[in-house]
Amino acid sequence: VVSPPCTMELAAQAAPHPFRWALVEEAPKVVRCCLKRGHRTTEYELLHTGGFLRLCTERGRVYWIAQNEQDHRTPDWKLHFSVKPGHIPKAWDVLSGLFMEFDCDFGMKAVSGDAVETWPQRQFGRELTIYMFQHSSAYCWGGPMAGLCEDSELHRFWLGPEFERDSGFWYRFLHEAERALERAGVESHGLAEGDLRLGRYVSLRNEAFIPCDGLPIYPPNSAGWNAAGHLCPLHLPWARLARHYLGRLKRLGGCQNRRSQL
């Protein structure tokens, strides 16, 4: 059996949008890349695998390798976007366009069309994700590609604190994303259980693994939005935190009342 040749499409710029959902669905396994010129030239690529559609940079792929090497115990901050399943294509077009417009690095993902029907209820409200890189000393000198590639190429894969984005950047992105999703008529799927609400669509969660019986595990929803206790990349108003924890206490109180009535 001879495998078909790999097809690759390269866009020299981010407009018109080279990663539109409808275009990808026509041929999901085509390798698609795009060069975006901002304060630097960034190459974005599309991956369609594992039930997700991913838009990422080479640095993003190395970041995921680094997380795997550390058993996912390093900071894993994510912005989750809550979108009803039927509106994921519209939301993808909006957010992937903004991702490139803001010169974001690392990656984002959405539940792919072939995986929507099996999307588990415990993950409702996390239909799309933006990765918020936070450096960790566990990545050592530059990350897993240091020493494995030519020195002239290392800048493409380097993991360091200089690639973190500050709180102001992320709030500007969130503000524009919320407005753009509303203009596009996207409907929310409700707040993801365990996340910290930041807007109508967006919530925050650190999904770094936590210890359980001596082994690192994905933090269950009941563990909340920062089970690992890592430093948050966003400056969060106390009022927002107070509303979040007050809501959790009310829900817990409701559970206790229901138990007492059994």
Side-chain angles (χ1 to χ4, degrees):
V1 178
V2 179
S3 300
C6 175
T7 303
M8 178 174 179
E9 293 186 1
L10 173 64
Q13 56 187 6
H17 194 333
F19 302 124
R20 297 186 311 279
W21 185 278
L23 181 63
V24 174
E25 285 293 290
E26 290 176 3
K29 298 304 180 182
V30 168
V31 179
R32 302 177 191 275
C33 300
C34 169
L35 299 178
K36 168 65 168 57
R37 294 179 175 87
H39 64 283
R40 61 180 177 177
T41 298
T42 302
E43 182 176 344
Y44 295 101
E45 60 180 315
L46 202 66
L47 306 174
H48 188 283
T49 182
F52 290 100
L53 184 59
R54 304 173 191 266
L55 177 61
C56 65
T57 62
E58 286 183 307
R59 197 183 329 279
R61 299 182 73 168
V62 173
Y63 171 48
W64 294 331
I65 293 172
Q67 289 182 311
N68 286 334
E69 286 185 342
Q70 299 300 321
D71 294 326
H72 296 274
R73 291 173 295 183
T74 53
D76 190 16
W77 290 99
K78 296 171 181 175
L79 296 174
H80 289 137
F81 287 83
S82 174
V83 175
K84 285 190 174 181
H87 290 199
I88 290 175
K90 286 194 292 186
W92 169 267
D93 288 351
V94 167
L95 293 178
S96 58
L98 284 175
F99 190 81
M100 293 185 291
E101 181 182 328
F102 274 70
D103 295 317
C104 293
D105 207 334
F106 298 95
M108 63 168 290
K109 68 181 180 182
V111 185
S112 59
D114 58 355
V116 168
E117 290 187 3
T118 58
W119 186 236
Q121 185 173 353
R122 65 180 180 276
Q123 293 291 355
F124 283 7
R126 300 173 183 145
E127 287 72 30
L128 289 94
T129 296
I130 305 285
Y131 290 84
M132 306 170 72
F133 171 73
Q134 291 291 287
H135 182 63
S136 169
S137 58
Y139 299 150
C140 299
W141 189 75
M145 288 299 290
L148 298 179
C149 64
E150 297 293 332
D151 289 346
S152 60
E153 296 294 311
L154 186 55
H155 67 95
R156 296 163 52 194
F157 314 111
W158 185 268
L159 300 180
E162 65 270 30
F163 293 105
E164 296 180 359
R165 297 296 181 91
D166 62 25
S167 185
F169 171 87
W170 288 116
Y171 275 120
R172 288 191 297 273
F173 180 88
L174 297 180
H175 177 70
E176 186 56 41
E178 287 272 326
R179 292 176 57 190
L181 290 170
E182 186 172 7
R183 285 196 302 267
V186 173
E187 293 184 28
S188 170
H189 204 189
L191 176 66
E193 183 184 350
D195 282 26
L196 177 67
R197 182 187 297 277
L198 296 178
R200 176 182 177 186
Y201 302 97
V202 66
S203 59
L204 176 71
R205 195 169 197 242
N206 177 18
E207 297 190 328
F209 281 23
I210 58 176
C212 179
D213 296 330
L215 296 174
I217 65 166
Y218 175 84
N221 289 344
S222 59
W225 64 279
N226 186 14
H230 291 139
L231 183 67
C232 182
L234 294 181
H235 297 307
L236 298 172
W238 282 108
R240 186 188 303 278
L241 293 174
R243 287 196 300 270
H244 172 79
Y245 287 112
L246 181 60
R248 288 200 70 188
L249 286 172
K250 287 181 177 178
R251 288 194 295 274
L252 288 172
C255 291
Q256 294 291 343
N257 290 336
R258 285 194 293 274
R259 291 195 194 100
S260 66
Q261 294 169 5
L262 294 177

